[in-house]
Amino acid sequence: MKMKRNDILIILTALLFSYGVELKAQEQIVVPEGYELVDSVIYRPVATVDTTLVGKDVFLLMPSRDMGDQTGVTINQTDAVRDAMRRQTDENGSRTLSGYRIRIFFDNKQTARVESEETLERFESMFHDVVAYRTYANPYFKVTVGDFRTRSEAMKHLETIKREFPSAFVVKENIEFPVVDKENSYVTDTVKVLRPKRTGL
């Protein structure tokens, strides 16, 4: 099916909305006949680190009387210690952590690709606060969920997940750093989505 210019504009507009790019008032959204733009809610995991501190030297962020602060912190350290800390930070920026995840899908049959995608979508629609990963390690498609530091933490979540995914089990894997605030592990956004108009309602 060949896409018309208006169709491409709608898709791009929906993508821009989903990434928070606002259109100027004079730019009109052209919706093809038989379609409508509707609001849809998406769930995004929060950052695992405080992004306001990324790329900053913690020693330079401390209060200092020299910088006009009422109090000051004095750090006595050699240049060798300071250099070693910078090297450690630079060399381990993308380091992963050994931990646990819950495997909810593991298969290598011909339909495994589609089934793994469906399993991932189903999980994400049910558990917005747990991050999910879909991977392929020849010949298996896998869907694992969560980033748990301890086995007991993973087992606690396994009880809830097993209600919907009875064959789920805990596996030891390298994990991403878990979110800092587990009570607020995701945020919601509203995006514009193009869909066919509903008729006969």
PDB file of all heavy atoms in Angstrom, residues 56-62 73-91:
ATOM      1  N   LYS A  56      28.885  15.323  36.262  1.00  0.00           N
ATOM      2  CA  LYS A  56      29.365  16.333  37.215  1.00  0.00           C
ATOM      3  C   LYS A  56      30.277  15.686  38.250  1.00  0.00           C
ATOM      4  O   LYS A  56      30.093  14.535  38.623  1.00  0.00           O
ATOM      5  CB  LYS A  56      28.192  17.023  37.895  1.00  0.00           C
ATOM      6  CG  LYS A  56      27.360  17.833  36.926  1.00  0.00           C
ATOM      7  CD  LYS A  56      26.279  18.599  37.621  1.00  0.00           C
ATOM      8  CE  LYS A  56      25.486  19.412  36.607  1.00  0.00           C
ATOM      9  NZ  LYS A  56      24.330  20.044  37.200  1.00  0.00           N
ATOM     10  N   ASP A  57      31.230  16.451  38.717  1.00  0.00           N
ATOM     11  CA  ASP A  57      32.162  15.993  39.741  1.00  0.00           C
ATOM     12  C   ASP A  57      31.536  16.250  41.103  1.00  0.00           C
ATOM     13  O   ASP A  57      31.259  17.384  41.470  1.00  0.00           O
ATOM     14  CB  ASP A  57      33.479  16.762  39.591  1.00  0.00           C
ATOM     15  CG  ASP A  57      34.571  16.226  40.500  1.00  0.00           C
ATOM     16  OD1 ASP A  57      34.253  15.669  41.563  1.00  0.00           O
ATOM     17  OD2 ASP A  57      35.752  16.376  40.137  1.00  0.00           O
ATOM     18  N   VAL A  58      31.324  15.179  41.877  1.00  0.00           N
ATOM     19  CA  VAL A  58      30.654  15.314  43.172  1.00  0.00           C
ATOM     20  C   VAL A  58      31.431  16.244  44.108  1.00  0.00           C
ATOM     21  O   VAL A  58      30.848  16.944  44.934  1.00  0.00           O
ATOM     22  CB  VAL A  58      30.420  13.919  43.819  1.00  0.00           C
ATOM     23  CG1 VAL A  58      31.716  13.268  44.222  1.00  0.00           C
ATOM     24  CG2 VAL A  58      29.478  14.020  44.997  1.00  0.00           C
ATOM     25  N   PHE A  59      32.754  16.272  43.979  1.00  0.00           N
ATOM     26  CA  PHE A  59      33.551  17.125  44.853  1.00  0.00           C
ATOM     27  C   PHE A  59      33.326  18.614  44.579  1.00  0.00           C
ATOM     28  O   PHE A  59      33.472  19.446  45.453  1.00  0.00           O
ATOM     29  CB  PHE A  59      35.035  16.770  44.723  1.00  0.00           C
ATOM     30  CG  PHE A  59      35.328  15.361  45.163  1.00  0.00           C
ATOM     31  CD1 PHE A  59      35.787  14.425  44.263  1.00  0.00           C
ATOM     32  CD2 PHE A  59      35.112  14.967  46.479  1.00  0.00           C
ATOM     33  CE1 PHE A  59      36.046  13.128  44.656  1.00  0.00           C
ATOM     34  CE2 PHE A  59      35.361  13.671  46.879  1.00  0.00           C
ATOM     35  CZ  PHE A  59      35.834  12.743  45.970  1.00  0.00           C
ATOM     36  N   LEU A  60      32.958  18.912  43.330  1.00  0.00           N
ATOM     37  CA  LEU A  60      32.705  20.316  42.990  1.00  0.00           C
ATOM     38  C   LEU A  60      31.294  20.757  43.364  1.00  0.00           C
ATOM     39  O   LEU A  60      30.986  21.944  43.347  1.00  0.00           O
ATOM     40  CB  LEU A  60      32.949  20.545  41.500  1.00  0.00           C
ATOM     41  CG  LEU A  60      34.380  20.280  41.010  1.00  0.00           C
ATOM     42  CD1 LEU A  60      34.466  20.456  39.510  1.00  0.00           C
ATOM     43  CD2 LEU A  60      35.376  21.169  41.732  1.00  0.00           C
ATOM     44  N   LEU A  61      30.421  19.806  43.695  1.00  0.00           N
ATOM     45  CA  LEU A  61      29.042  20.125  44.055  1.00  0.00           C
ATOM     46  C   LEU A  61      28.858  20.398  45.543  1.00  0.00           C
ATOM     47  O   LEU A  61      27.823  20.898  45.962  1.00  0.00           O
ATOM     48  CB  LEU A  61      28.105  18.975  43.640  1.00  0.00           C
ATOM     49  CG  LEU A  61      28.017  18.698  42.146  1.00  0.00           C
ATOM     50  CD1 LEU A  61      27.174  17.461  41.909  1.00  0.00           C
ATOM     51  CD2 LEU A  61      27.427  19.890  41.417  1.00  0.00           C
ATOM     52  N   MET A  62      29.853  20.074  46.327  1.00  0.00           N
ATOM     53  CA  MET A  62      29.728  20.262  47.773  1.00  0.00           C
ATOM     54  C   MET A  62      29.813  21.736  48.131  1.00  0.00           C
ATOM     55  O   MET A  62      30.456  22.519  47.442  1.00  0.00           O
ATOM     56  CB  MET A  62      30.823  19.473  48.481  1.00  0.00           C
ATOM     57  CG  MET A  62      30.661  17.985  48.305  1.00  0.00           C
ATOM     58  SD  MET A  62      31.678  17.103  49.449  1.00  0.00           S
ATOM     59  CE  MET A  62      31.361  15.439  48.941  1.00  0.00           C
ATOM     60  N   VAL A  73      32.565  22.483  52.903  1.00  0.00           N
ATOM     61  CA  VAL A  73      33.137  21.154  53.104  1.00  0.00           C
ATOM     62  C   VAL A  73      34.545  21.189  52.554  1.00  0.00           C
ATOM     63  O   VAL A  73      34.761  21.596  51.411  1.00  0.00           O
ATOM     64  CB  VAL A  73      32.301  20.071  52.382  1.00  0.00           C
ATOM     65  CG1 VAL A  73      32.985  18.717  52.493  1.00  0.00           C
ATOM     66  CG2 VAL A  73      30.893  20.019  52.924  1.00  0.00           C
ATOM     67  N   THR A  74      35.489  20.784  53.378  1.00  0.00           N
ATOM     68  CA  THR A  74      36.878  20.748  52.944  1.00  0.00           C
ATOM     69  C   THR A  74      37.269  19.296  52.707  1.00  0.00           C
ATOM     70  O   THR A  74      37.070  18.454  53.589  1.00  0.00           O
ATOM     71  CB  THR A  74      37.809  21.371  54.006  1.00  0.00           C
ATOM     72  OG1 THR A  74      37.369  22.707  54.263  1.00  0.00           O
ATOM     73  CG2 THR A  74      39.245  21.383  53.539  1.00  0.00           C
ATOM     74  N   ILE A  75      37.791  19.009  51.543  1.00  0.00           N
ATOM     75  CA  ILE A  75      38.213  17.656  51.199  1.00  0.00           C
ATOM     76  C   ILE A  75      39.725  17.661  51.067  1.00  0.00           C
ATOM     77  O   ILE A  75      40.288  18.407  50.264  1.00  0.00           O
ATOM     78  CB  ILE A  75      37.561  17.192  49.889  1.00  0.00           C
ATOM     79  CG1 ILE A  75      36.053  17.213  50.029  1.00  0.00           C
ATOM     80  CG2 ILE A  75      38.053  15.805  49.507  1.00  0.00           C
ATOM     81  CD1 ILE A  75      35.310  17.048  48.747  1.00  0.00           C
ATOM     82  N   ASN A  76      40.367  16.824  51.864  1.00  0.00           N
ATOM     83  CA  ASN A  76      41.818  16.696  51.802  1.00  0.00           C
ATOM     84  C   ASN A  76      42.137  15.365  51.141  1.00  0.00           C
ATOM     85  O   ASN A  76      41.900  14.304  51.721  1.00  0.00           O
ATOM     86  CB  ASN A  76      42.436  16.756  53.205  1.00  0.00           C
ATOM     87  CG  ASN A  76      42.201  18.119  53.851  1.00  0.00           C
ATOM     88  OD1 ASN A  76      42.428  19.141  53.215  1.00  0.00           O
ATOM     89  ND2 ASN A  76      41.736  18.119  55.080  1.00  0.00           N
ATOM     90  N   GLN A  77      42.623  15.427  49.925  1.00  0.00           N
ATOM     91  CA  GLN A  77      42.989  14.201  49.211  1.00  0.00           C
ATOM     92  C   GLN A  77      44.109  14.514  48.236  1.00  0.00           C
ATOM     93  O   GLN A  77      44.266  15.643  47.788  1.00  0.00           O
ATOM     94  CB  GLN A  77      41.791  13.618  48.475  1.00  0.00           C
ATOM     95  CG  GLN A  77      41.260  14.493  47.371  1.00  0.00           C
ATOM     96  CD  GLN A  77      40.057  13.880  46.675  1.00  0.00           C
ATOM     97  OE1 GLN A  77      39.673  12.770  46.972  1.00  0.00           O
ATOM     98  NE2 GLN A  77      39.469  14.614  45.744  1.00  0.00           N
ATOM     99  N   THR A  78      44.851  13.496  47.908  1.00  0.00           N
ATOM    100  CA  THR A  78      45.959  13.687  46.973  1.00  0.00           C
ATOM    101  C   THR A  78      45.409  13.691  45.548  1.00  0.00           C
ATOM    102  O   THR A  78      44.291  13.231  45.293  1.00  0.00           O
ATOM    103  CB  THR A  78      46.982  12.547  47.117  1.00  0.00           C
ATOM    104  OG1 THR A  78      46.355  11.333  46.729  1.00  0.00           O
ATOM    105  CG2 THR A  78      47.509  12.450  48.542  1.00  0.00           C
ATOM    106  N   ASP A  79      46.211  14.183  44.639  1.00  0.00           N
ATOM    107  CA  ASP A  79      45.832  14.159  43.225  1.00  0.00           C
ATOM    108  C   ASP A  79      45.664  12.722  42.738  1.00  0.00           C
ATOM    109  O   ASP A  79      44.833  12.448  41.878  1.00  0.00           O
ATOM    110  CB  ASP A  79      46.878  14.887  42.368  1.00  0.00           C
ATOM    111  CG  ASP A  79      46.848  16.395  42.588  1.00  0.00           C
ATOM    112  OD1 ASP A  79      45.819  16.885  43.096  1.00  0.00           O
ATOM    113  OD2 ASP A  79      47.841  17.064  42.260  1.00  0.00           O
ATOM    114  N   ALA A  80      46.451  11.805  43.295  1.00  0.00           N
ATOM    115  CA  ALA A  80      46.367  10.399  42.881  1.00  0.00           C
ATOM    116  C   ALA A  80      44.987   9.820  43.199  1.00  0.00           C
ATOM    117  O   ALA A  80      44.411   9.092  42.400  1.00  0.00           O
ATOM    118  CB  ALA A  80      47.451   9.581  43.580  1.00  0.00           C
ATOM    119  N   VAL A  81      44.422  10.169  44.365  1.00  0.00           N
ATOM    120  CA  VAL A  81      43.092   9.680  44.746  1.00  0.00           C
ATOM    121  C   VAL A  81      42.036  10.285  43.822  1.00  0.00           C
ATOM    122  O   VAL A  81      41.145   9.589  43.325  1.00  0.00           O
ATOM    123  CB  VAL A  81      42.783  10.002  46.224  1.00  0.00           C
ATOM    124  CG1 VAL A  81      41.335   9.722  46.547  1.00  0.00           C
ATOM    125  CG2 VAL A  81      43.699   9.221  47.142  1.00  0.00           C
ATOM    126  N   ARG A  82      42.146  11.575  43.561  1.00  0.00           N
ATOM    127  CA  ARG A  82      41.193  12.256  42.683  1.00  0.00           C
ATOM    128  C   ARG A  82      41.242  11.656  41.273  1.00  0.00           C
ATOM    129  O   ARG A  82      40.204  11.371  40.673  1.00  0.00           O
ATOM    130  CB  ARG A  82      41.499  13.752  42.632  1.00  0.00           C
ATOM    131  CG  ARG A  82      40.487  14.551  41.819  1.00  0.00           C
ATOM    132  CD  ARG A  82      40.801  16.037  41.802  1.00  0.00           C
ATOM    133  NE  ARG A  82      40.597  16.630  43.120  1.00  0.00           N
ATOM    134  CZ  ARG A  82      41.575  17.094  43.900  1.00  0.00           C
ATOM    135  NH1 ARG A  82      42.844  17.029  43.499  1.00  0.00           N
ATOM    136  NH2 ARG A  82      41.312  17.611  45.078  1.00  0.00           N
ATOM    137  N   ASP A  83      42.442  11.425  40.757  1.00  0.00           N
ATOM    138  CA  ASP A  83      42.594  10.844  39.417  1.00  0.00           C
ATOM    139  C   ASP A  83      42.059   9.413  39.371  1.00  0.00           C
ATOM    140  O   ASP A  83      41.430   9.006  38.393  1.00  0.00           O
ATOM    141  CB  ASP A  83      44.065  10.870  38.985  1.00  0.00           C
ATOM    142  CG  ASP A  83      44.567  12.293  38.763  1.00  0.00           C
ATOM    143  OD1 ASP A  83      43.707  13.204  38.636  1.00  0.00           O
ATOM    144  OD2 ASP A  83      45.797  12.495  38.733  1.00  0.00           O
ATOM    145  N   ALA A  84      42.306   8.644  40.432  1.00  0.00           N
ATOM    146  CA  ALA A  84      41.822   7.256  40.481  1.00  0.00           C
ATOM    147  C   ALA A  84      40.297   7.225  40.464  1.00  0.00           C
ATOM    148  O   ALA A  84      39.682   6.384  39.799  1.00  0.00           O
ATOM    149  CB  ALA A  84      42.357   6.552  41.727  1.00  0.00           C
ATOM    150  N   MET A  85      39.668   8.147  41.172  1.00  0.00           N
ATOM    151  CA  MET A  85      38.203   8.189  41.195  1.00  0.00           C
ATOM    152  C   MET A  85      37.647   8.565  39.818  1.00  0.00           C
ATOM    153  O   MET A  85      36.673   7.971  39.356  1.00  0.00           O
ATOM    154  CB  MET A  85      37.709   9.174  42.238  1.00  0.00           C
ATOM    155  CG  MET A  85      36.214   9.180  42.340  1.00  0.00           C
ATOM    156  SD  MET A  85      35.646  10.061  43.758  1.00  0.00           S
ATOM    157  CE  MET A  85      33.903   9.967  43.461  1.00  0.00           C
ATOM    158  N   ARG A  86      38.256   9.520  39.161  1.00  0.00           N
ATOM    159  CA  ARG A  86      37.810   9.900  37.812  1.00  0.00           C
ATOM    160  C   ARG A  86      37.971   8.743  36.832  1.00  0.00           C
ATOM    161  O   ARG A  86      37.099   8.491  36.003  1.00  0.00           O
ATOM    162  CB  ARG A  86      38.591  11.123  37.334  1.00  0.00           C
ATOM    163  CG  ARG A  86      38.143  12.384  38.028  1.00  0.00           C
ATOM    164  CD  ARG A  86      38.596  13.636  37.309  1.00  0.00           C
ATOM    165  NE  ARG A  86      38.128  14.804  38.038  1.00  0.00           N
ATOM    166  CZ  ARG A  86      38.919  15.700  38.627  1.00  0.00           C
ATOM    167  NH1 ARG A  86      40.220  15.578  38.545  1.00  0.00           N
ATOM    168  NH2 ARG A  86      38.410  16.710  39.283  1.00  0.00           N
ATOM    169  N   ARG A  87      39.105   8.024  36.939  1.00  0.00           N
ATOM    170  CA  ARG A  87      39.318   6.860  36.071  1.00  0.00           C
ATOM    171  C   ARG A  87      38.254   5.795  36.318  1.00  0.00           C
ATOM    172  O   ARG A  87      37.712   5.209  35.390  1.00  0.00           O
ATOM    173  CB  ARG A  87      40.709   6.255  36.319  1.00  0.00           C
ATOM    174  CG  ARG A  87      41.769   6.731  35.360  1.00  0.00           C
ATOM    175  CD  ARG A  87      43.010   5.855  35.371  1.00  0.00           C
ATOM    176  NE  ARG A  87      43.438   5.401  36.681  1.00  0.00           N
ATOM    177  CZ  ARG A  87      44.177   6.119  37.539  1.00  0.00           C
ATOM    178  NH1 ARG A  87      44.564   7.330  37.219  1.00  0.00           N
ATOM    179  NH2 ARG A  87      44.527   5.614  38.698  1.00  0.00           N
ATOM    180  N   GLN A  88      37.956   5.540  37.593  1.00  0.00           N
ATOM    181  CA  GLN A  88      36.942   4.541  37.946  1.00  0.00           C
ATOM    182  C   GLN A  88      35.590   4.904  37.342  1.00  0.00           C
ATOM    183  O   GLN A  88      34.894   4.069  36.773  1.00  0.00           O
ATOM    184  CB  GLN A  88      36.829   4.452  39.486  1.00  0.00           C
ATOM    185  CG  GLN A  88      35.741   3.563  40.002  1.00  0.00           C
ATOM    186  CD  GLN A  88      36.040   2.089  39.873  1.00  0.00           C
ATOM    187  OE1 GLN A  88      37.144   1.703  39.498  1.00  0.00           O
ATOM    188  NE2 GLN A  88      35.070   1.252  40.152  1.00  0.00           N
ATOM    189  N   THR A  89      35.209   6.167  37.432  1.00  0.00           N
ATOM    190  CA  THR A  89      33.937   6.632  36.881  1.00  0.00           C
ATOM    191  C   THR A  89      33.921   6.508  35.364  1.00  0.00           C
ATOM    192  O   THR A  89      32.959   6.014  34.783  1.00  0.00           O
ATOM    193  CB  THR A  89      33.682   8.103  37.291  1.00  0.00           C
ATOM    194  OG1 THR A  89      33.716   8.181  38.712  1.00  0.00           O
ATOM    195  CG2 THR A  89      32.346   8.595  36.790  1.00  0.00           C
ATOM    196  N   ASP A  90      34.997   6.932  34.713  1.00  0.00           N
ATOM    197  CA  ASP A  90      35.065   6.887  33.250  1.00  0.00           C
ATOM    198  C   ASP A  90      35.032   5.451  32.713  1.00  0.00           C
ATOM    199  O   ASP A  90      34.387   5.178  31.705  1.00  0.00           O
ATOM    200  CB  ASP A  90      36.332   7.585  32.740  1.00  0.00           C
ATOM    201  CG  ASP A  90      36.302   9.085  32.986  1.00  0.00           C
ATOM    202  OD1 ASP A  90      35.202   9.624  33.233  1.00  0.00           O
ATOM    203  OD2 ASP A  90      37.379   9.720  32.947  1.00  0.00           O
ATOM    204  N   GLU A  91      35.717   4.548  33.386  1.00  0.00           N
ATOM    205  CA  GLU A  91      35.836   3.172  32.896  1.00  0.00           C
ATOM    206  C   GLU A  91      34.595   2.325  33.172  1.00  0.00           C
ATOM    207  O   GLU A  91      34.424   1.271  32.586  1.00  0.00           O
ATOM    208  CB  GLU A  91      37.067   2.502  33.522  1.00  0.00           C
ATOM    209  CG  GLU A  91      38.372   3.093  33.025  1.00  0.00           C
ATOM    210  CD  GLU A  91      39.583   2.589  33.803  1.00  0.00           C
ATOM    211  OE1 GLU A  91      39.412   1.713  34.683  1.00  0.00           O
ATOM    212  OE2 GLU A  91      40.696   3.075  33.534  1.00  0.00           O
TER     213      GLU A  91
END
